[in-house]
Amino acid sequence: MTQKELSHLIFLSEVVLTGKKKSLMDETLQCLLYIVKSVEEVELPDTVVDQIECLMAMIESDLRDENERMQEIRGHLDWKQKRKRNPPDLDRL
């Protein structure tokens, strides 16, 4: 890709991000992912690295929280299903 094409992709990405164009987020991320996967190492200013690390930490935290919530929901659903299959023996009470 030329610098001109990369600059245009940056422009489009910023428009999607600032304009909150959620319908185009998947395509934008896919383009950026292709570029990132094709590069082994990138030199970035420390401020940019700091911002990226902060965003990555936020993403990881949100994904962990979502995963924990899903595990809790599945555990609760599994418990309810087991209870329906094996109702308590009322004669023992």
Side-chain angles (χ1 to χ4, degrees):
M1 288 188 87
T2 66
Q3 183 59 47
K4 186 176 180 179
E5 291 169 321
L6 288 172
S7 295
H8 187 62
L9 179 57
I10 291 168
F11 167 75
L12 292 174
S13 299
E14 289 174 343
V15 168
V16 168
L17 186 61
T18 58
K20 297 182 179 22
K21 303 289 184 187
K22 293 183 187 231
S23 63
L24 298 171
M25 285 288 184
D26 286 345
E27 290 83 356
T28 305
L29 287 173
Q30 196 66 47
C31 289
L32 298 174
L33 186 59
Y34 286 140
I35 293 169
V36 171
K37 282 183 170 183
S38 70
V39 180
E40 289 186 29
E41 191 172 312
V42 179
E43 296 229 5
L44 300 168
D46 289 341
T47 56
V48 172
V49 172
D50 291 343
Q51 288 175 346
I52 291 172
E53 288 173 348
C54 182
L55 290 169
M56 287 173 55
M58 185 177 70
I59 292 167
E60 290 170 351
S61 176
D62 283 356
L63 289 173
R64 275 191 205 99
D65 290 347
E66 184 178 319
N67 187 37
E68 288 173 8
R69 283 192 303 273
M70 291 303 295
Q71 287 177 355
E72 287 176 15
I73 291 169
R74 283 190 187 111
H76 186 71
L77 290 174
D78 288 346
W79 178 77
K80 278 188 164 185
Q81 289 174 354
K82 286 179 185 175
R83 190 169 175 205
K84 282 182 182 179
R85 278 187 245 138
N86 301 322
D89 189 359
L90 298 177
D91 292 336
R92 289 190 211 171
L93 298 175

